[in-house]
Amino acid sequence: MKFKRILSLALGSGIVLGFGAIEAPNASAALLTSYQFNGNGNWSLDGVGSNINPVGNISAFVPVGSRIEKAFLYSSTNLNNNSFVPNVNFDGTTYSGAAWTNLGSTSASSGSLTAFRTDVTNQVAAKVGTGSPLEFIFSVLSENPSASIDGEALAIVYSNPNELERTIAFLDGFTNPLGDTTSVNLADPLTSTQLSNPNFEALLSLGIGFSAGGASGQFSRVDVNGSRLTTAAGGADDGGLINGGLITIGGLGDSTGNPLNPNSNTEPDDELYSIKSFLAAGNTQIQIDTLNPSNDDNIFFAGINITARAGVNAPPPSDPTAVPEPFTIVGTLIGAGTAFRMRKRLKATNKL
């Protein structure tokens, strides 16, 4: 049996700087931006949970010609009350104690639900190299205490010159029972040409812990630009219906097809969504509102992936191809030679 949940997607604040990626410090409320990438690349998301050892495998897809920019491992726990830090053997490397960042606790009806994050960029990069046409397999060999850890999720961002330009943001923390709003602030208004392009993507992924799903009365809802996307987020898609396996994250193997009845809490829902149909030409912002009416789940992760330049709860980054303008004045004041050297330095910082 499970105590359980509440969902509210609190996509938090981050700072966006130019072209590339930034990290923001963790804070003590809801979900905050822990990483943002702007450039040619994509993501890989997957998770696993169980009460056995080995726990199971997490897959990752990183195509040939790629470079790993960031990789986070998450561990979602239940009945924690800050009484323990996970001990997880991830593909032969054990993460425990100070290796984990505590993402804060949700005071759910079932008790304290807490997720943790650790940076596994170097480990993942060493295994992945420059990518492969096949999926990579990372084994979660053990976790302790197993019954109080619902599972792990692996979130990867990679750059690749063959990919479209994207904004990818990872937000993590814990569920705000009052609900939350996040905004994706676009550098340029959306056009009808963009929206009709089959290559245009706007994706949302949720990672949720200690959720048995809508059939058990444990569900979360998400609205995009004022319209309902789902009322059935949650469940144990990447684990099993037992404490110690209640984890789901939208990613590999999931469909971007959205629930057919967005107002039903029992519709099939894999926590990976396309929000393209909620967008319109002229939009300069995408607003996402979330709430967990059952007050017993923990949304510890949210991912946004859109093929446009944007800032998540922050201004969009500057255009990397733009040439700074104030050089006529600068040249007059400090001399043409110095201005030229300054221009070269500034342009270098804006390269891919």
Side-chain angles (χ1 to χ4, degrees):
M1 297 292 295
K2 231 194 85 150
F3 302 148
K4 283 334 278 319
R5 288 61 63 170
I6 170 170
L7 167 225
S8 81
L9 169 63
L11 299 175
S13 308
I15 302 171
V16 180
L17 299 174
F19 190 90
I22 58 93
E23 287 183 76
N26 200 42
S28 59
L31 299 180
L32 299 174
T33 304
S34 57
Y35 180 78
Q36 179 166 314
F37 170 87
N38 293 87
N40 297 84
N42 214 328
W43 67 10
S44 176
L45 307 172
D46 196 23
V48 67
S50 78
N51 275 336
I52 61 175
N53 288 322
V55 177
N57 295 328
I58 296 178
S59 299
F61 179 70
V62 181
V64 173
S66 299
R67 167 191 166 91
I68 298 298
E69 298 293 336
K70 183 62 69 175
F72 288 136
L73 182 70
Y74 294 91
S75 187
S76 177
T77 74
N78 64 78
L79 308 182
N80 191 319
N81 295 309
N82 292 314
S83 60
F84 67 89
V85 174
N87 186 303
V88 177
N89 185 322
F90 175 66
D91 214 48
T93 300
T94 297
Y95 295 93
S96 61
W100 293 103
T101 296
N102 186 317
L103 300 177
S105 299
T106 290
S107 298
S109 60
S110 53
S112 178
L113 309 177
T114 308
F116 296 80
R117 181 191 72 230
T118 188
D119 191 319
V120 293
T121 303
N122 291 339
Q123 182 183 0
V124 170
K127 182 165 183 170
V128 168
T130 58
S132 167
L134 304 177
E135 290 185 355
F136 295 88
I137 302 299
F138 294 85
S139 296
V140 179
L141 299 174
S142 66
E143 56 184 19
N144 184 46
S146 184
S148 293
I149 299 176
D150 282 309
E152 282 68 46
L154 179 63
I156 296 172
V157 172
Y158 60 85
S159 57
N160 188 311
N162 295 318
E163 286 280 355
L164 297 173
E165 182 179 349
R166 298 174 185 268
T167 295
I168 300 173
F170 291 162
L171 302 101
D172 51 45
F174 61 95
T175 294
N176 182 344
L178 299 178
D180 269 286
T181 297
T182 192
S183 60
V184 180
N185 301 303
L186 300 165
D188 300 295
L190 293 174
T191 67
S192 56
T193 300
Q194 274 180 294
L195 295 174
S196 63
N197 186 336
N199 293 321
F200 178 85
E201 288 188 312
L203 306 177
L204 170 67
S205 168
L206 297 182
I208 305 175
F210 205 53
S211 176
S216 300
Q218 301 159 8
F219 59 91
S220 298
R221 72 188 194 207
V222 181
D223 294 340
V224 178
N225 286 346
S227 297
R228 183 61 46 86
L229 168 64
T230 182
T231 310
D237 299 356
D238 292 298
L241 290 175
I242 183 174
N243 287 0
L246 297 164
I247 189 171
T248 182
I249 185 170
L252 290 177
D254 294 324
S255 168
T256 57
N258 300 332
L260 294 178
N261 182 354
N263 296 304
S264 169
N265 63 10
T266 59
E267 279 288 296
D269 189 316
D270 58 15
E271 292 66 58
L272 181 65
Y273 315 97
S274 171
I275 60 174
K276 180 177 178 178
S277 63
F278 294 82
L279 310 182
N283 284 167
T284 58
Q285 185 182 83
I286 305 167
Q287 179 174 307
I288 302 171
D289 299 299
T290 63
L291 181 67
N292 174 230
S294 58
N295 189 32
D296 56 1
D297 296 351
N298 187 26
I299 297 182
F300 63 86
F301 172 87
I304 293 172
N305 184 333
I306 183 169
T307 51
R309 224 162 12 95
V312 178
N313 284 342
S318 59
D319 184 348
T321 64
V323 177
E325 296 182 2
F327 286 104
T328 301
I329 298 174
V330 172
T332 301
L333 294 176
I334 62 177
T338 303
F340 177 74
R341 289 191 295 272
M342 183 181 292
R343 183 184 293 112
K344 287 185 66 177
R345 288 197 298 271
L346 289 174
K347 287 183 70 176
T349 64
N350 282 321
K351 289 183 179 179
L352 299 184

